[in-house]
Amino acid sequence: MIAKALEKRSHLEVGTLCLLSGVSRSGYYQWRKRPTSSTSSDEEEVISIFKDKRGKAGYRTIKMLFERKFGRPINHKKVRRIKRDHNLLTRIRRKSKFRAIQAKGQEHAVAPNLVQRKFLDPQLVLVDLTEMRIRGGQKSYVFAMKNALTREIVGLDVAANPSVALVTKTVRSFLEGATNSYILHSDQGTHFTSGEYRKVLQDLKMTQSMSRRGNCLDNAPIESFFGHLKDEIEYKECRSIEELRRLLKDYMNYYNYERPQWDLERKTPAEARVELGLVY
């Protein structure tokens, strides 16, 4: 009789709690009857791989790493289920702003690699674009032009946005006053495959050359310049694009006229140009 009274009291308390929680009594008892689930070894191993990859691995990558590590197969559907059950959301890479330009519908084309890493032509100008973050994490984009033989920086500018206009304006300012015909060598970035950039070179009767896709060594000298630039100036302390522009102009003058280079027989780029009798 006492046991029945306690059971009746328990049912009354459960009913009250279910009412307060907004759930049915039958649903509560069904939940109680479910077997306690435990994390399987496969789940633990998938979770471990996901954490080791810092949340950047998708289900295909996890499947491959799992099978290589443990020597047994796992179905990709199972990996996806484990990720879903444990709320393992893969971090997706952000789209590059450089590639976003191509989505605007411009006509793009790739030029042949005429240079083939032969950087001793006085009529060869290497061009490229790089990102630099100034104070507060503000992005800026620096475009540079470098004579391959003398190592002299013949064009340099910066803007807050990676527009094709930044490239074409700097190229025009150098080439419109040039007395020679040049080969302009770049990577296959969307700025250089764009119709607008190619038209500028065609109008000025210049030749275009491009590196092989994804091969930075094909344009190594300009990459080297950007490396020295970022190492030798305190660009992260600049408060504005204009302040960075002044700093870049000062560095370009220093690089061209004061900074000797070992491969130029310890001459500066400007001294090498004078010795070779080159006129831009």
Side-chain angles (χ1 to χ4, degrees):
M1 184 178 293
I2 295 173
K4 288 183 179 180
L6 290 172
E7 185 179 354
K8 184 176 181 181
R9 182 181 175 185
S10 176
H11 284 313
L12 289 173
E13 290 177 350
V14 168
T16 302
L17 291 172
C18 288
L19 182 63
L20 292 173
S21 302
V23 298
S24 67
R25 183 183 296 181
S26 61
Y28 164 74
Y29 285 113
Q30 286 178 4
W31 173 76
R32 286 195 59 180
K33 290 179 181 178
R34 291 178 185 173
T36 303
S37 61
S38 59
T39 305
S40 68
S41 60
D42 282 354
E43 287 178 307
E44 291 177 352
E45 288 155 358
V46 166
I47 293 170
S48 175
I49 292 172
F50 183 82
K51 290 181 178 179
D52 287 344
K53 303 306 291 183
R54 296 179 297 172
K56 296 182 180 180
Y59 72 90
R60 293 186 182 92
T61 300
I62 293 175
K63 171 181 167 61
M64 291 186 291
L65 292 175
F66 181 99
E67 292 175 349
R68 289 173 67 90
K69 183 176 181 179
F70 300 108
R72 65 177 187 272
I74 185 171
N75 191 284
H76 70 277
K77 293 180 181 179
K78 183 175 184 179
V79 176
R80 295 179 68 177
R81 178 183 57 76
I82 294 172
K83 289 187 68 201
R84 182 179 63 251
D85 290 348
H86 293 273
N87 198 31
L88 305 179
L89 302 178
T90 303
R91 294 165 56 189
I92 306 298
R93 292 191 303 271
R94 294 176 62 185
K95 291 184 179 180
S96 169
K97 288 188 177 181
F98 292 97
R99 295 181 182 275
I101 295 173
Q102 193 166 8
K104 293 184 178 179
Q106 296 177 338
E107 182 184 355
H108 289 252
V110 176
N113 185 355
L114 304 177
V115 176
Q116 299 293 330
R117 299 188 190 178
K118 297 175 182 178
F119 302 119
L120 297 178
D121 188 342
Q123 307 308 119
L124 173 61
V125 175
L126 310 171
V127 301
D128 201 3
L129 191 72
T130 192
E131 178 187 294
M132 300 176 76
R133 296 199 181 197
I134 59 178
R135 181 173 290 189
Q138 181 184 349
K139 293 181 180 181
S140 64
Y141 300 89
V142 180
F143 174 70
M145 305 174 64
K146 181 177 185 178
N147 183 283
L149 182 60
T150 67
R151 316 286 179 87
E152 191 168 12
I153 303 303
V154 296
L156 185 72
D157 203 359
V158 60
N161 298 304
S163 65
V164 178
L166 168 65
V167 174
T168 55
K169 181 184 70 171
T170 311
V171 168
R172 278 190 180 277
S173 67
F174 171 69
L175 293 181
E176 284 181 339
T179 58
N180 301 308
S181 178
Y182 290 97
I183 299 172
L184 268 71
H185 183 71
S186 68
D187 60 23
Q188 294 186 24
T190 53
H191 298 79
F192 309 116
T193 60
S194 69
E196 185 178 350
Y197 174 76
R198 289 185 289 112
K199 188 175 186 308
V200 169
L201 298 190
Q202 290 170 3
D203 291 345
L204 296 172
K205 296 180 173 55
M206 301 297 167
T207 305
Q208 186 177 17
S209 172
M210 284 187 176
S211 304
R212 291 168 295 176
R213 189 172 183 83
N215 197 319
C216 62
L217 294 178
D218 285 354
N219 208 6
I222 192 75
E223 298 283 356
S224 174
F225 167 72
F226 282 140
H228 289 301
L229 173 68
K230 293 178 180 180
D231 285 342
E232 296 177 14
I233 66 172
E234 299 296 331
Y235 64 92
K236 294 180 180 179
E237 298 301 316
C238 293
R239 297 179 176 84
S240 66
I241 298 297
E242 284 304 317
E243 186 177 343
L244 177 60
R245 180 176 283 111
R246 291 192 294 271
L247 183 63
L248 290 171
K249 183 177 180 181
D250 290 343
Y251 181 79
M252 183 175 73
N253 288 331
Y254 161 74
Y255 186 89
N256 286 339
Y257 295 97
E258 299 179 30
R259 189 181 186 280
Q261 297 192 27
W262 190 269
D263 291 341
L264 292 176
E265 297 179 349
R266 304 178 189 179
K267 299 181 179 65
T268 67
E271 289 169 346
R273 169 173 51 82
V274 171
E275 184 174 281
L276 292 169
L278 299 181
V279 179
Y280 297 139

